[in-house]
Amino acid sequence: MPRASQSIHGIWASRLTFILAATGSAVGLGNIWKFPYIAGENGGGAFVLVYLFCILLVGVPIMMAEVLLGRRGRQSPVNSMIELAREAGASKAWGLLGWIGVISGFLILSYYSVIAGWALEYVLRVGDGTFVGAKSEFAGTLFNELTGNPVRLAFWHTVFMCMTMFVVARGVNRGLEAAVRILMPALFVLLLILVGYAVSSGAFMEGFKFLFSMRAESLSANSLVVALGHAFFTLSLGMGAIMIYGAYMPKTSSIGATVCAVAFLDTLVALVAGLAIFPIVFANGLEAAAGPGLMFVTLPLAFGNMPLGRFFGVLFFVLVSFAAWSSSISLIEPAVAWMVERFGVSRVKVAIGLGFLTWLLGLGTVFSFNIWKSVQVFGLTFFDALDFLTANIMLPLGGVAIALFVGWKMREADVHGELSLESPRVYALWRFLVRFLSPAAVLFIFTLTLYRYFTQ
């Protein structure tokens, strides 16, 4: 069958729009509540350098491969992989790679929406002055009360899912493109405003040194593992989002230059977020932390005890909400695109139906923090099980499969033509990485993670 010149769902208006969309997919809660902390705890600037090498040697090659698959296939991940496997004379089983992406995105969004709902709650909590003059015990108790309230969690989960599906239902150009053109510039502006506020906190240099001072003695073998793992996961690889966004990419855009721009912006946001967060933490004599403890206990407490903290606290949680929103629309897009292609129904109907199913599954995560908290399988709650399945099994397998298919199954002439890299040396280096080093690194992380889980 003749190859489609563009997706039936639409095409990004420009290379810049694709960069904004892919960056929006990559920039999420992990950039804000995880990366700055692990950088500071694992050697600061020394870790950042190691991480950048991991991005270049693992993240960028696989991301280029995933974008390549999307743009060549011009369909949903499932149909693209079926078509490309046929074109390469490979087994139909490679179509499972597309399904891994579609199902992963669906599962991740079901619990990601619940966590993002916490940020919406805290926009109001910080805005109404709840944390003004608060003590640490109060901040911790308030967060526990939120997660322990299934009705409250379900409400914000519902609000966030409606926000997500509203954008997706409007299509590539009127929905996804319009959203990222607003959300991403707004996210960057908010981040810079918060950095300016952090500079005035009186502890900016302390936060700067935490992130960037060269402490090579703090590097360890585990630091390399952490850097490798985060370099893969931060770019939204293996979940179909980058593949479907690649399907909407203009043919004239350079895949290599575009992917490097996305990787740069994703890393920049994570580092700048650290410069916005940790000076505020240290200025209040609080302990640096990672995860929900940083976002929903430490920082609200800091904002509640600083001049203008109420205003800037609201800006911060709006920033977090925007980051989550831009990521969430990419998570469900692969499934929506497949259903539109498979059944020929309107995008609006598909968005409503899939949105409801995702919301319904998300209730399992809502309840896992309260009324189902004691219900565990292999020591994991419903939320923990979904997180483990997607982050530690499905996404790594998807990433490895992407690298192996492009590196070993596709015709090299097709790969070379799609990438259009001007330098033969750069192409040869990329091909070596995507065939050998990148999949080996992801397999290493995959194996080590499973080993640690089953032997702990």
Side-chain angles (χ1 to χ4, degrees):
M1 61 182 293
R3 178 164 308 286
S5 60
Q6 69 178 50
S7 168
I8 65 169
H9 309 286
I11 203 84
W12 301 120
S14 66
R15 173 173 170 264
L16 175 61
T17 305
F18 173 81
I19 291 174
L20 291 175
T23 303
S25 176
V27 172
L29 298 177
N31 294 71
I32 299 171
W33 78 14
K34 183 177 182 181
F35 178 76
Y37 176 77
I38 62 175
E41 287 294 291
N42 286 276
F47 177 85
V48 171
L49 288 178
V50 171
Y51 172 75
L52 290 176
F53 274 109
C54 292
I55 282 283
L56 291 173
L57 298 178
V58 179
V60 167
I62 295 180
M63 190 175 191
M64 289 173 63
E66 188 164 353
V67 173
L68 183 154
L69 291 174
R71 191 167 74 174
R72 189 160 185 84
R74 292 296 190 192
Q75 301 175 77
S76 66
V78 174
N79 289 333
S80 282
M81 287 310 306
I82 291 173
E83 176 64 24
L84 294 177
R86 183 185 300 117
E87 178 184 73
S91 168
K92 293 180 179 179
W94 283 103
L96 292 174
L97 169 55
W99 280 111
I100 289 176
V102 168
I103 296 171
S104 295
F106 173 78
L107 295 178
I108 292 171
L109 180 57
S110 74
Y111 63 79
Y112 195 81
S113 174
V114 178
I115 309 303
W118 299 352
L120 298 178
E121 163 86 6
Y122 271 68
V123 170
L124 299 183
R125 288 286 192 176
V126 174
D128 66 13
T130 297
F131 294 97
V132 174
K135 303 298 181 183
S136 58
E137 296 80 7
F138 172 79
T141 300
L142 192 69
F143 179 62
N144 290 333
E145 287 177 354
L146 171 63
T147 57
N149 187 330
V151 175
R152 195 78 177 166
L153 289 187
F155 170 77
W156 288 115
H157 167 50
T158 304
V159 171
F160 189 81
M161 278 303 307
C162 288
M163 290 167 54
T164 298
M165 301 319 295
F166 171 77
V167 172
V168 174
R170 290 173 59 82
V172 173
N173 300 113
R174 294 192 307 120
L176 278 66
E177 184 173 297
V180 299
R181 282 181 176 271
I182 296 171
L183 290 177
M184 296 315 295
L187 186 148
F188 294 138
V189 170
L190 288 174
L191 199 52
L192 291 177
I193 292 173
L194 286 166
V195 169
Y197 179 63
V199 170
S200 68
S201 69
F204 183 77
M205 287 310 300
E206 190 177 350
F208 185 89
K209 290 177 181 177
F210 179 74
L211 276 172
F212 294 111
S213 62
M214 299 294 289
R215 303 187 302 278
E217 69 280 0
S218 297
L219 284 175
S220 64
N222 187 63
S223 299
L224 175 60
V225 173
V226 171
L228 274 172
H230 195 73
F232 174 78
F233 293 113
T234 189
L235 294 176
S236 297
L237 304 177
M239 61 180 70
I242 298 302
M243 195 185 298
I244 192 65
Y245 276 10
Y248 308 150
M249 185 179 183
K251 182 67 177 176
T252 55
S253 296
S254 165
I255 291 178
T258 303
V259 166
C260 286
V262 172
F264 170 77
L265 288 174
D266 177 70
T267 304
L268 181 65
V269 168
L271 293 173
V272 175
L275 291 178
I277 290 170
F278 289 111
I280 295 172
V281 171
F282 295 141
N284 286 268
L286 300 172
E287 290 295 321
L294 170 67
M295 190 88 75
F296 300 107
V297 178
T298 305
L299 280 172
L301 190 63
F303 285 125
N305 289 277
M306 294 185 73
L308 299 177
R310 187 168 165 184
F311 173 75
F312 286 100
V314 169
L315 286 187
F316 174 78
F317 282 104
V318 169
L319 164 74
V320 173
S321 300
F322 279 8
W325 196 6
S326 64
S327 295
S328 68
I329 59 178
S330 71
L331 290 171
I332 198 65
E333 177 64 18
V336 170
W338 178 77
M339 290 197 70
V340 170
E341 292 166 4
R342 175 67 178 81
F343 299 106
V345 294
S346 74
R347 175 175 277 263
V348 173
K349 291 180 180 178
V350 169
I352 292 173
L354 271 179
F356 174 74
L357 291 177
T358 310
W359 173 85
L360 196 63
L361 182 63
L363 293 181
T365 294
V366 168
F367 298 148
S368 71
F369 290 105
N370 35 75
I371 59 178
W372 288 358
K373 195 171 185 177
S374 61
V375 179
Q376 298 187 355
V377 179
F378 300 113
L380 299 174
T381 64
F382 183 87
F383 163 66
D384 291 331
L386 276 185
D387 184 40
F388 184 86
L389 173 64
T390 53
N392 297 309
I393 297 178
M394 297 180 74
L395 299 191
L397 289 179
V400 169
I402 286 169
L404 294 180
F405 182 80
V406 173
W408 295 94
K409 291 298 180 179
M410 287 185 71
R411 291 194 294 262
E412 186 175 0
D414 294 336
V415 173
H416 190 278
E418 199 67 47
L419 280 183
S420 298
L421 292 173
E422 294 182 2
S423 170
R425 290 184 179 180
V426 172
Y427 172 76
L429 175 61
W430 171 82
R431 187 162 174 80
F432 170 77
L433 292 175
V434 86
R435 297 182 92 194
F436 300 104
L437 189 106
S438 299
V442 177
L443 275 176
F444 171 71
I445 296 298
F446 171 73
T447 305
L448 184 62
T449 301
L450 293 184
Y451 172 78
R452 285 178 171 177
Y453 174 73
F454 288 110
T455 59
Q456 66 182 357

